[in-house]
Amino acid sequence: MEQTYDTIIVLGRNWKGYPGKPKIKDGKVHLSLESKMSSLAALMMWKKGLTKKIILCSGKTAGQDFPSESGAMAEFMRKRSPIPEEAIILEEESLETYGNMENTKALLDKYNLANGKLALVTVGLHLPRSVKICDFYELEVDVCPSEEQVKQISEHHKAAVERYEKSCFVKREK
């Protein structure tokens, strides 16, 4: 049986095209592959009944004229599966991981979720730094690499994640 969590904290990884200018197509900014994987992983965990609440983290990292990254992740999730509004909490103010965790801690307190079991969902290369920041803010989290959840969806998803894990980007970031 898989572990259940009161709340899943999902970290994005900027917009497609970052660093530099975010990729804009048809007037919309597009999420990075990492943000898509983390959003999809959280959605899969929610669909399996492993959580009731998801906090999506990140503000207007593409600039004030664009939506928040967390709002875009919520839209990405809702296009794939109906998920009730009350299941998602948006942390839309931060621009980096320290801000994500500081604001998330405040949201956990606001919604009386601070004493519950927490999971942190982000791509594996972002986890070591993110866990240290969670520790700094005294947030005890279980780590859930988004790649591991996404690989379980289908053979197609598994192959895509394996290509991503072997990519020059991931090798460079590690």
Side-chain angles (χ1 to χ4, degrees):
M1 187 169 143
E2 292 184 90
Q3 177 65 52
T4 59
Y5 300 96
D6 297 295
T7 307
I8 294 173
I9 302 164
V10 182
L11 300 179
R13 178 99 170 141
N14 291 306
W15 299 95
K16 188 171 186 175
Y18 181 89
K21 286 189 169 187
K23 184 173 182 178
I24 301 170
K25 184 178 178 184
D26 302 324
K28 289 183 138 185
V29 183
H30 292 264
L31 288 171
S32 67
L33 178 59
E34 293 82 6
S35 290
K36 287 179 179 180
M37 279 196 295
S38 295
S39 301
L40 193 54
L43 179 62
M44 294 300 104
M45 292 173 76
W46 180 83
K47 286 175 75 170
K48 289 178 183 178
L50 303 180
T51 192
K52 291 184 174 129
K53 290 285 185 195
I54 299 170
I55 298 178
L56 298 172
C57 299
S58 216
K60 295 187 172 200
T61 56
Q64 291 303 311
D65 295 335
F66 298 100
S68 70
E69 205 173 327
S70 58
M73 288 190 292
E75 183 180 332
F76 176 82
M77 292 168 70
R78 287 189 181 105
K79 282 182 178 177
R80 277 136 193 86
S81 184
I83 183 168
E85 292 284 328
E86 63 272 9
I88 297 176
I89 300 170
L90 300 180
E91 184 285 296
E92 298 184 281
E93 302 300 319
S94 64
L95 300 177
E96 36 66 37
T97 311
Y98 276 98
N100 293 155
M101 291 304 108
E102 182 177 7
N103 294 342
T104 294
K105 186 168 181 152
L107 288 170
L108 290 166
D109 290 336
K110 177 181 176 178
Y111 290 98
N112 297 315
L113 300 168
N115 294 323
K117 186 145 184 71
L118 305 174
L120 178 65
V121 174
T122 190
V123 291
L125 61 91
H126 194 213
L127 276 171
R129 179 175 181 271
S130 301
V131 169
K132 287 178 185 177
I133 295 170
C134 285
D135 290 345
F136 177 82
Y137 285 103
E138 299 177 345
L139 294 170
E140 188 175 321
V141 297
D142 286 353
V143 296
C144 296
S146 54
E147 296 93 330
E148 297 308 313
Q149 292 297 320
V150 174
K151 282 180 185 178
Q152 296 175 32
I153 297 170
S154 70
E155 285 301 314
H156 167 76
H157 286 83
K158 181 179 179 181
V161 169
E162 288 171 354
R163 282 192 307 275
Y164 165 79
E165 291 174 328
K166 293 175 185 172
S167 71
C168 293
F169 171 77
V170 171
K171 289 177 184 175
R172 184 181 70 238
E173 289 289 311
K174 284 183 178 181

